[in-house]
Amino acid sequence: MAPNLFGSSATLFLEASQQDVSQNKSSTEKSVAQTLQVQKTQSSKPKYQWKIVWRNMIAFAYLHLGALYGLYLLLVAASVYTTIWSITIGAFAAIGVTAGAHRLWAHRSYKAKWPMRIILMLLQTTAFQNHIYEWVRDHRVHHKFTDTDADPHNAKRGFFFSHMGWLLIRKHPDVINKGASIDMSDLEKDFVVVWQRRLYIVLMPVFCFLLPTWVPCHFWNEKPMYAWYATLFRYTLSLNLTWLVNSAAHIWGMKPYDNTISPTDSYSVGIGAFGEGWHNYHHVFPWDYKAGELGNYRTNFTTGFIDFFAWIGWAYDLKTVAHNMIKRRAARTGDGSIYERTDDHHDEHSHEGAIWGWGDSDMKPEDMQDAEIINKAD
């Protein structure tokens, strides 16, 4: 609900400014006016109230109930091929989000030639987490304004809100206003993103639901009902694994690189989310294509996927952080869990100066100069 702009205290201040008499008021009159303003603010309704999106509420209720039934069918009735198919589709769809929407398009941590971009776009469509343009806009806002009202899944509102509750209510006005200020010009020039956005209403149902359900029925005579609920299980599970990055990885875990922010490094989330669980590192260095300081692919399958395409020449300009830069930052702001803390001064977190990735106008020139670029284009 919008604030009342024409209450007694607001009128008092408006008249004062129009008549230019504010400087002539006695201290008593000013005190009364301030008291009225405080009383008015306290008695007025909040500017933002949660408004439930019942369509989403019903849809998610059906998805989770259907997923439970799908799990039951996969365990006791469906073909083993259907189980393998569901796991395979879920894994590749996840890569479309982690390597595509997230590391490529949202953070610009590397570049990809058009065949790879098309593959990632189709995989991201299969994941059905909104089209790339909207996904990237919301994620860049999340990085720029973490844990504020402009953060779409503000972790300060609790685990459930940051996990899935934010999708069950209307967005806070700050999310919309700040989202409009985010630079999206790079995606507006990418024909793959533009094409997907225009055809998403057709592509999404086909790749997320229809094809994954049709294949088991056609190739190994799976019962349509079994195939459908297996699809619901695969889709709902992938959603919740993604949501854990927004919820669990903002509550439990270590903060080796910056102890003043809510994102954490979580080993379990890193495994379930294909390498996206090293969230403390990622918020400090969002432009690193690895999204973590790791020496292997065991908990960061997405990095291995990108490295493979770099090997065949489809991915290039892979940005990563030099070890000395990581160590300096961890020594200054980390929790001491990996690197020794040398600075005892504890600052409170502020989103001022936060960046969403490579190319953000607030990115420090020295960070760009010190970055290591792998498979650099000529």
Side-chain angles (χ1 to χ4, degrees):
M1 180 177 178
N4 183 2
L5 299 178
F6 300 101
S8 58
S9 58
T11 303
L12 182 61
F13 287 117
L14 180 62
E15 290 175 350
S17 62
Q18 289 176 338
Q19 297 174 12
D20 195 24
V21 298
S22 59
Q23 294 182 351
N24 297 325
K25 282 191 173 184
S26 66
S27 59
T28 302
E29 290 175 321
K30 290 181 180 180
S31 177
V32 170
Q34 291 172 356
T35 301
L36 288 171
Q37 178 67 30
V38 171
Q39 291 176 346
K40 182 63 180 180
T41 301
Q42 293 175 342
S43 62
S44 62
K45 293 183 178 181
K47 296 180 180 179
Y48 172 65
Q49 292 180 326
W50 287 7
K51 295 182 180 179
I52 296 176
V53 181
W54 288 105
R55 179 186 60 186
N56 289 3
M57 184 77 74
I58 295 170
F60 282 128
Y62 170 70
L63 283 174
H64 284 80
L65 291 173
L68 291 175
Y69 186 52
L71 176 60
Y72 167 77
L73 292 175
L74 288 172
L75 292 175
V76 303
S79 168
V80 65
Y81 296 114
T82 302
T83 302
I84 296 173
W85 169 250
S86 298
I87 295 172
T88 302
I89 288 295
F92 279 104
I95 286 294
V97 175
T98 59
H102 189 216
R103 302 191 194 183
L104 174 62
W105 280 296
H107 297 298
R108 300 176 63 184
S109 62
Y110 71 100
K111 296 178 181 178
K113 294 182 179 179
W114 69 264
M116 183 180 180
R117 298 208 311 276
I118 289 178
I119 292 172
L120 289 172
M121 179 273 292
L122 293 175
L123 294 178
Q124 193 271 346
T125 304
T126 306
F128 182 24
Q129 296 184 18
N130 292 327
H131 54 70
I132 294 168
Y133 189 91
E134 183 174 357
W135 199 103
V136 169
R137 183 194 62 211
D138 284 352
H139 194 69
R140 287 181 178 180
V141 173
H142 165 63
H143 272 264
K144 288 289 286 186
F145 305 100
T146 304
D147 296 339
T148 70
D149 286 336
D151 185 346
H153 31 81
N154 183 359
K156 288 187 175 180
R157 294 180 183 169
F159 177 88
F160 182 77
F161 178 88
S162 59
H163 190 73
M164 67 177 294
W166 64 284
L167 294 166
L168 303 178
I169 62 174
R170 296 293 180 189
K171 291 181 179 180
H172 191 287
D174 284 1
V175 176
I176 299 172
N177 294 333
K178 297 297 185 181
S181 69
I182 295 295
D183 181 11
M184 299 289 289
S185 59
D186 54 320
L187 274 76
E188 292 163 359
K189 298 174 184 177
D190 190 325
F191 79 91
V192 175
V193 176
V194 173
W195 185 74
Q196 187 219 31
R197 187 180 183 184
R198 289 175 179 173
L199 299 178
Y200 194 69
I201 194 172
V202 175
L203 293 175
M204 182 278 293
V206 171
F207 282 91
C208 183
F209 297 109
L210 297 182
L211 280 177
T213 302
W214 174 79
V215 167
C217 297
H218 179 77
F219 287 99
W220 53 87
N221 296 317
E222 184 62 272
K223 292 183 177 180
M225 184 179 72
Y226 293 0
W228 171 250
Y229 282 105
T231 296
L232 292 187
F233 170 74
R234 180 266 305 167
Y235 174 57
T236 307
L237 177 62
S238 67
L239 285 180
N240 280 276
L241 290 175
T242 300
W243 293 339
L244 284 173
V245 180
N246 301 331
S247 55
H250 275 258
I251 299 176
W252 302 292
M254 301 184 301
K255 300 180 180 181
Y257 310 98
D258 193 335
N259 198 33
T260 69
I261 59 178
S262 69
T264 65
D265 279 8
S266 172
Y267 187 86
S268 56
V269 175
I271 295 175
F274 284 52
E276 303 294 80
W278 314 109
H279 213 44
N280 189 254
Y281 179 94
H282 175 60
H283 268 259
V284 175
F285 305 108
W287 44 270
D288 189 335
Y289 87 99
K290 302 189 308 297
E293 187 187 14
L294 301 174
N296 55 63
Y297 303 135
R298 286 178 298 178
T299 57
N300 202 331
F301 182 73
T302 301
T303 299
F305 179 90
I306 298 171
D307 283 346
F308 169 77
F309 278 94
W311 178 65
I312 67 175
W314 286 13
Y316 59 101
D317 284 1
L318 282 61
K319 291 90 173 177
T320 189
V321 188
H323 179 70
N324 60 346
M325 184 189 300
I326 297 173
K327 191 173 181 179
R328 286 199 308 268
R329 178 59 184 269
R332 181 167 57 88
T333 61
D335 63 5
S337 57
I338 295 181
Y339 297 99
E340 182 180 357
R341 178 72 181 261
T342 59
D343 188 349
D344 294 330
H345 182 68
H346 294 272
D347 295 325
E348 292 186 3
H349 171 65
S350 171
H351 65 78
E352 297 297 331
I355 64 172
W356 49 255
W358 190 270
D360 190 309
S361 58
D362 290 327
M363 187 173 182
K364 297 179 180 178
E366 55 267 28
D367 287 349
M368 301 183 73
Q369 293 173 0
D370 293 341
E372 296 181 356
I373 301 180
I374 303 171
N375 201 24
K376 191 171 183 179
D378 295 333

